[in-house]
Amino acid sequence: MRETAVSQQAAPRLLEWYDRLARVLPWRAPPGTPPMDPYRVWLSEIMLQQTTVAAVKSYFQRFTALWPTVQALAAADEAQVMAEWAGLGYYARARNLVACARRVAAAGGFPDRREGLAALPGIGPYTSAAIAAIAFDRPETVVDGNVERVVSRLFAVQTPLPAARRELTELASTLTPQTRPGDFAQAMMDLGATICTPRNPACAICPLMELCAARAQGIAPELPRRAPKAAKPLRTGTAWVALDDRALLLERRPARGLLGGTLAFPTTGWDGTDLAPPQDGPWEAAGEVRHVFTHFELRLSVLRAPLANPVRGEVVPRDGFDPNTLPGLMRKVWALAT
């Protein structure tokens, strides 16, 4: 059967290609060498969730300079970790990062199997498989968006995503080799990121082109198919910016929920709250910021006033304040109000 031939031939071809052309990344060991420190693999995989490689590189280098080991990160102040994370989004990841580091440090190291890794805070099915394969060379099947695209084209899977996910994972598992599974997982990611791209795939230089059913049928750019996306709902709210030459007013958001645990300007309305202004007025309109979250769009009216006698929040000195430590939404609010 064709699927058997693909399963037998794909890994050797892809690993030979990876040995020559693997991307050089700060969290990655060279092909064919012993696996990387599991701390660096774990940290990179958490950072790369919902984020691009280009965006993550500088964060990874800064984090590993500040906290070079999982023990160092476990001992870090959570507020400092949140501040360093600002801009990567999905702030629950940063809170889970600290919780996981503390659990691992207390246990004396990372579990070396997928099941043990999946029991740690913030580590789901994909991440546990990726760490097990890349850091411990376990023959786990690692399926991210790049791998879904490669597999859907390799086997010409017509079922739209997300309904196709189970089928794609099962097909991907037929490709995973018993030897060098960590290199193979990273090779699949590299193939999807550099050659088997969403638009205009470079089929002519693909190491799997002779095995690819979608290429043979002339439909590679059309796959994977996707079900139509529903329009994102719109939310609205208000942000208050109280400041003078010496200080500004921020608040620590609740640990759970949107922008959880971050320092932010006081807001209301958009996140299910119904709060009064953090100090008496008068407030003047500064404008509106727009921001897109995963599940909704936001329009936030920004009001500004001189810092007076706040009834809630934290008065933060302007001296030494770095707006880059704010979440992306709040950096937009800051830029508009100042």
Side-chain angles (χ1 to χ4, degrees):
M1 292 178 61
R2 183 186 175 280
E3 287 186 9
T4 301
V6 173
S7 299
Q8 291 174 343
Q9 297 178 41
R13 295 187 186 200
L14 193 57
L15 285 168
E16 189 277 331
W17 171 83
Y18 183 71
D19 287 343
R20 293 184 292 108
L21 298 171
R23 290 181 294 176
V24 177
L25 300 173
W27 50 82
R28 178 181 282 181
T33 63
M36 286 286 284
D37 174 4
Y39 169 65
R40 296 171 70 87
V41 176
W42 162 73
L43 180 61
S44 68
E45 288 297 334
I46 298 299
M47 286 184 166
L48 286 164
Q49 293 171 9
Q50 308 289 334
T51 317
T52 65
V53 167
V56 162
K57 285 182 179 178
S58 62
Y59 282 89
F60 179 85
Q61 290 167 335
R62 189 163 66 247
F63 263 69
T64 51
L66 289 168
W67 304 294
T69 65
V70 70
Q71 290 81 10
L73 184 58
D77 177 69
E78 184 174 298
Q80 184 185 2
V81 175
M82 297 294 289
E84 292 294 336
W85 188 271
L88 276 177
Y90 300 92
Y91 290 91
R93 290 184 296 163
R95 296 195 304 277
N96 283 329
L97 198 74
V98 176
C100 184
R102 290 172 180 168
R103 181 91 65 86
V104 169
F110 283 90
D112 63 358
R113 295 183 181 274
R114 178 177 55 80
E115 295 80 5
L117 291 160
L120 294 170
I123 298 184
Y126 162 77
T127 306
S128 60
I131 299 170
I134 297 168
F136 299 107
D137 222 26
R138 301 291 185 190
E140 299 289 349
T141 299
V142 183
V143 182
D144 66 355
N146 283 321
V147 176
E148 286 181 342
R149 186 166 58 256
V150 170
V151 174
S152 71
R153 291 171 175 172
L154 195 57
F155 294 97
V157 175
Q158 301 285 337
T159 307
L161 287 168
R165 289 220 161 96
R166 176 173 292 187
E167 180 183 2
L168 293 175
T169 299
E170 290 174 353
L171 289 169
S173 70
T174 70
L175 306 176
T176 303
Q178 294 296 306
T179 58
R180 299 182 64 190
D183 280 349
F184 178 77
Q186 294 174 104
M188 288 285 280
M189 296 174 193
D190 278 13
L191 187 70
T194 63
I195 289 181
C196 196
T197 52
R199 296 179 180 82
N200 302 316
C203 296
I205 58 172
C206 177
L208 304 183
M209 63 179 177
E210 294 176 356
L211 304 176
C212 183
R215 176 180 178 271
Q217 297 173 32
I219 58 171
E222 302 170 23
L223 300 180
R225 303 194 190 282
R226 297 183 182 274
K229 288 186 178 181
K232 291 186 177 183
L234 174 66
R235 296 187 191 179
T236 59
T238 301
W240 294 287
V241 179
L243 76 167
D244 58 26
D245 291 339
R246 295 172 298 175
L248 68 154
L249 184 65
L250 298 173
E251 66 179 6
R252 181 73 60 182
R253 292 188 61 81
R256 294 186 177 275
L258 293 161
L259 309 183
T262 64
L263 272 177
F265 294 104
T267 64
T268 194
W270 67 282
D271 54 358
T273 60
D274 183 15
L275 301 174
Q279 67 176 38
D280 292 336
W283 294 87
E284 65 175 11
E288 179 184 83
V289 297
R290 299 186 179 190
H291 196 77
V292 178
F293 287 91
T294 303
H295 301 298
F296 66 93
E297 295 184 13
L298 172 64
R299 294 181 185 177
L300 205 58
S301 297
V302 180
L303 303 180
R304 179 176 52 200
L307 182 61
N309 297 303
V311 295
R312 73 173 196 273
E314 301 179 25
V315 176
V316 177
R318 292 280 292 267
D319 184 26
F321 168 69
D322 181 2
N324 290 320
T325 62
L326 296 172
L329 169 62
M330 296 301 157
R331 292 203 300 272
K332 292 180 181 179
V333 171
W334 170 260
L336 180 65
T338 57

